[in-house]
């Protein structure tokens, strides 16, 4: 058995296992409320880690094609990019360089592609603009705001290593005057966060959960004022 085959099931079980203590967390999920936005046509999954690449390849065959370990993406400007699974590194000793890509979502209203990027130490996602290939690293499949002007991704700490947890707020439509907003939870933070809901277009309600003590979870708000996102 290759090291990839040995590592990958353990990694996924570890990620999924973090939800056991949260009764409301669906299977194959790393957050309590996995987003259904951007899920491809005929994808029957409900969690974060059971999104269907075949469904996405069938939905946008002019944009993305899979050939073995390589995912080829052709952008609207006719440029192409190859996302190659590092099978040799995954099977060898240098597994910290192991990476595996899957096409796991598409947002047709804004021509956005969602890629899952799995590594031996954890999983994050890339939100890719299909018009020109711009990439934005995010911590989880994102949720649309009510009017679909924004996307927010939120996830809490999954362990002592791997991709960081935090919050990403991305304008759905590319606009040079509107900035992304990214927050990464500090190592010494006493709280981690889960997405709860949107309140209009300018406020996100989060569930703040204590780390390492018996304090009660509480709701907090992330609000946009004067073009900037800040905690209230």
């Amino acid at each position: 058995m290759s090291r990839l085959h040995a590592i990958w099931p353990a990694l996924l079980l570890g990620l999924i296992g973090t939800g056991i203590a949260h009764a409301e967390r669906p299977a194959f999920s790393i957050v309590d409320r996995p987003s259904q936005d951007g899920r491809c046509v005929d994808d029957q999954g409900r969690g974060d880690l059971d999104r269907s690449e075949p469904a996405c390849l069938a939905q946008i065959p002019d944009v993305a094609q899979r050939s073995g370990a390589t995912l080829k993406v052709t952008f609207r400007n006719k440029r192409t990019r190859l996302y190659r699974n590092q099978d040799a590194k995954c099977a060898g000793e240098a597994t910290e360089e192991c990476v595996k890509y899957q096409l796991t979502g598409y947002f047709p209203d804004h021509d956005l592609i969602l890629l899952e990027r799995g590594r031996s130490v954890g999983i994050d996602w890339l939100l890719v603009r299909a018009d020109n290939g711009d990439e934005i690293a995010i911590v989880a499949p994102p949720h649309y705001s009510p009017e679909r002007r924004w996307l927010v991704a939120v996830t809490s700490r999954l362990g002592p290593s791997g991709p960081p947890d935090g919050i990403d707020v991305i304008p759905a439509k590319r606009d040079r005057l509107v900035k992304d907003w990214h927050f990464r939870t500090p190592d010494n933070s006493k709280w981690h966060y889960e997405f709860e809901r949107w309140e209009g277009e300018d406020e996100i309600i989060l569930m703040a959960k204590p780390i390492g003590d018996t304090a009660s979870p509480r709701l907090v708000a992330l609000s946009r004022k004067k073009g900037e996102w800040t905690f209230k």
Side-chain angles (χ1 to χ4, degrees):
M1 178 182 289
S2 72
R3 289 179 63 85
L4 173 61
H5 289 148
I7 290 170
W8 211 258
L11 169 63
L12 293 181
L13 285 172
L15 292 173
I16 295 165
T18 60
I20 293 175
H22 301 84
E24 73 272 25
R25 183 170 292 184
F28 301 103
S29 299
I30 63 169
V31 297
D32 290 349
R33 290 172 174 76
S35 173
Q36 303 308 308
D37 295 325
R39 193 175 289 275
C40 293
V41 175
D42 296 328
D43 182 345
Q44 301 301 311
R46 298 296 297 174
D48 304 293
L49 302 177
D50 61 353
R51 284 175 169 250
S52 171
E53 179 174 269
C56 292
L57 292 171
Q59 184 172 347
I60 50 172
D62 56 326
V63 175
Q65 304 88 37
R66 166 71 67 182
S67 178
T70 301
L71 177 67
K72 178 182 177 182
V73 180
T74 303
F75 303 112
R76 306 302 182 188
N77 61 10
K78 305 304 181 183
R79 294 186 177 182
T80 62
R81 184 176 299 149
L82 302 179
Y83 294 91
R84 291 191 177 94
N85 296 343
Q86 301 298 315
D87 292 338
K89 294 177 180 177
C90 295
E93 296 298 322
T95 56
E96 68 277 2
E97 299 179 18
C98 167
V99 63
K100 178 181 179 181
Y101 295 98
Q102 291 193 81
L103 173 63
T104 56
Y106 179 61
F107 299 80
D109 288 357
H110 295 97
D111 210 14
L112 292 166
I113 300 164
L114 183 67
L115 299 181
E116 178 187 293
R117 181 169 58 179
R119 290 173 278 197
S120 60
V121 294
I123 295 176
D124 65 354
W125 282 260
L126 295 173
L127 196 60
V128 185
R129 297 195 183 276
D131 60 345
N132 64 359
D134 283 354
E135 294 179 347
I136 306 165
I138 59 177
V139 295
H143 297 259
Y144 260 132
S145 63
E147 296 179 14
R148 300 197 171 195
R149 290 166 44 197
W150 298 93
L151 287 158
V152 63
V154 187
T155 191
S156 57
R157 183 169 292 117
L158 301 174
S161 63
D165 65 300
I167 306 165
D168 303 292
V169 186
I170 311 297
K173 183 179 179 179
R174 184 159 55 93
D175 186 337
R176 293 181 180 179
L177 300 179
V178 181
K179 297 180 180 180
D180 304 346
W181 186 86
H182 304 278
F183 169 82
R184 294 296 176 260
T185 306
D187 290 340
N188 62 352
S189 175
K190 295 182 179 180
W191 301 90
H192 59 202
Y193 302 96
E194 292 279 352
F195 174 80
E196 187 72 18
R197 65 183 183 274
W198 281 92
E199 290 284 351
E201 294 297 299
D202 296 317
E203 186 165 276
I204 304 163
I205 305 300
L206 306 170
M207 179 64 72
K209 299 181 178 181
I211 297 174
D213 63 28
T214 58
S216 299
R218 58 190 180 91
L219 294 177
V220 299
L222 183 65
S223 299
R224 186 170 184 261
K225 295 181 179 180
K226 298 181 179 179
E228 298 290 338
W229 289 94
T230 58
F231 285 100
K232 289 182 69 173

